[in-house]
């Protein structure tokens, strides 16, 4: 079901991806939904059960468990699961659960299911760049909300934290909400520098000429122009299939 190409397997993976997006939406809205009390914690438990079953199934379906554990996205997912299973110890890191968006949109599971025609294309590159930017925005927003809410008069709600993050990330700097102290200044600097980098990456992905993934047999260069006849690095003759363009 996780690796097959049958209609049933594809439908199964699409259902898992849909649930994943709902879970990510819950993570984004968690600071607001937490006020619901017991209902919130019941949802937390159900999501923990879903992630546990999903990770266990993926590990079982993978041919080499050791190789599977070497993947960074797996460790991110395991940490997210840990924040759900041990809220008393890791509850302060709950804002990192939004990293699930990054792990989902950077997984082979997602692109193999959505459609192979988008794999290794500009669509995939742009989606990955957007996911990195959006994940960064919501992670920083969650951090600011959890750290400065109630300690700084400017951060009274989640929207205030989101407003500060976007204003700082875009270097607009309205100035009506600023974080106090040296730590606040350092965080603002990190947000601005990282935000500029992520925006530039997104712009480059959209504007720069598209290249296809076709490893050179001689030097190993991974990407080439769609109509390339020779490797740009070593001059080896290439035979890029038309469907890779």
């Amino acid at each position: 079901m996780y690796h097959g190409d049958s209609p049933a397997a594809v439908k199964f993976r699409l259902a898992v991806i849909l649930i994943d997006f709902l879970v990510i939406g819950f993570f984004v809205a968690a600071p607001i939904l937490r006020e619901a009390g017991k209902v919130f914690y019941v949802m937390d438990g159900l999501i923990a059960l879903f992630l546990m079953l999903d990770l266990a199934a993926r590990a079982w379906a993978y041919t080499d468990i050791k190789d599977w554990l070497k993947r960074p996205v797996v460790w991110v997912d395991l940490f997210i699961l840990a924040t759900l299973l041990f809220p008393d110890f890791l509850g302060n890191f709950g804002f990192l659960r939004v990293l699930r968006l990054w792990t989902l949109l950077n997984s082979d599971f997602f692109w193999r299911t959505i459609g192979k025609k988008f794999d290794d294309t500009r669509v995939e590159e742009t989606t990955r760049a957007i996911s990195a930017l959006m994940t960064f925005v919501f992670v920083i927003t969650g951090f600011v909300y959890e750290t400065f809410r109630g300690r700084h008069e400017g951060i009274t709600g989640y929207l205030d934290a989101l407003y500060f993050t976007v204003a700082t990330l875009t270097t607009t700097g309205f100035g009506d909400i600023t974080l106090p102290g040296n730590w606040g200044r350092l965080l603002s600097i990190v947000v601005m520098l990282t935000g500029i980098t992520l925006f530039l990456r997104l712009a480059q992905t959209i504007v720069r000429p598209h290249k296809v993934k076709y490893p050179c047999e001689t030097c190993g260069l991974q990407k080439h122009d769609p109509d390339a006849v020779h490797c740009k690095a070593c001059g080896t003759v290439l035979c890029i299939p038309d469907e890779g363009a």
Side-chain angles (χ1 to χ4, degrees), residues 89-105:
F89 299 100
L90 299 173
N92 291 335
F93 297 97
F95 62 91
L96 292 176
R97 296 173 184 175
V98 183
L99 288 172
R100 181 72 178 182
L101 175 63
W102 179 81
T103 61
L104 175 62
L105 296 182

Side-chain angles (χ1 to χ4, degrees), residues 11-209:
K11 289 180 180 179
F12 169 78
R13 292 198 298 271
L14 284 173
V16 172
I17 289 173
L18 177 60
I19 296 174
D20 251 324
F21 276 118
L22 293 176
V23 168
I24 293 166
F26 177 82
F27 288 159
V28 171
I32 301 173
L33 297 177
R34 191 176 288 118
E35 299 175 1
K38 292 183 179 180
V39 176
F40 171 82
Y41 292 104
V42 170
M43 290 297 299
D44 240 25
L46 291 174
I47 290 173
L49 179 61
F50 165 74
L51 291 182
M52 188 185 304
L53 292 174
D54 182 47
L55 282 171
R58 294 192 193 199
W60 182 265
Y62 210 82
T63 54
D64 187 344
I65 299 296
K66 292 183 178 179
D67 182 60
W68 182 73
L69 288 173
K70 292 179 181 179
R71 308 177 70 182
V73 293
V74 173
W75 285 99
V76 173
D77 284 338
L78 288 173
F79 179 78
I80 293 171
L81 178 60
T83 65
L84 292 165
L85 295 176
F86 308 103
D88 293 337
F89 299 100
L90 299 173
N92 291 335
F93 297 97
F95 62 91
L96 292 176
R97 296 173 184 175
V98 183
L99 288 172
R100 181 72 178 182
L101 175 63
W102 179 81
T103 61
L104 175 62
L105 296 182
N106 283 273
S107 65
D108 294 334
F109 176 85
F110 178 82
W111 291 106
R112 189 173 63 252
T113 305
I114 295 301
K116 293 183 178 180
K117 65 179 181 179
F118 297 123
D119 199 15
D120 295 324
T121 65
R122 187 189 297 274
V123 173
E124 180 181 356
E125 292 180 355
T126 303
T127 303
R128 288 176 183 265
I130 292 175
S131 73
L133 179 60
M134 296 301 297
T135 302
F136 177 76
V137 167
F138 286 113
V139 166
I140 293 298
T141 298
F143 176 77
V144 171
Y145 178 78
E146 294 291 343
T147 305
F148 292 93
R149 180 173 61 96
R151 301 179 185 178
H152 177 48
E153 59 183 10
I155 308 295
T156 59
Y158 189 77
L159 186 59
D160 294 326
L162 179 60
Y163 172 77
F164 163 80
T165 302
V166 174
T168 306
L169 183 144
T170 57
T171 67
T172 304
F174 291 114
D176 49 344
I177 297 180
T178 56
L179 301 183
N182 292 330
W183 284 112
R185 292 187 178 91
L186 287 174
L187 177 61
S188 299
I189 291 171
V190 170
V191 172
M192 284 186 281
L193 292 178
T194 307
I196 292 173
T197 302
L198 292 175
F199 270 124
L200 286 175
R201 180 192 171 192
L202 178 58
Q204 288 176 347
T205 301
I206 296 173
V207 175
R208 71 185 178 189

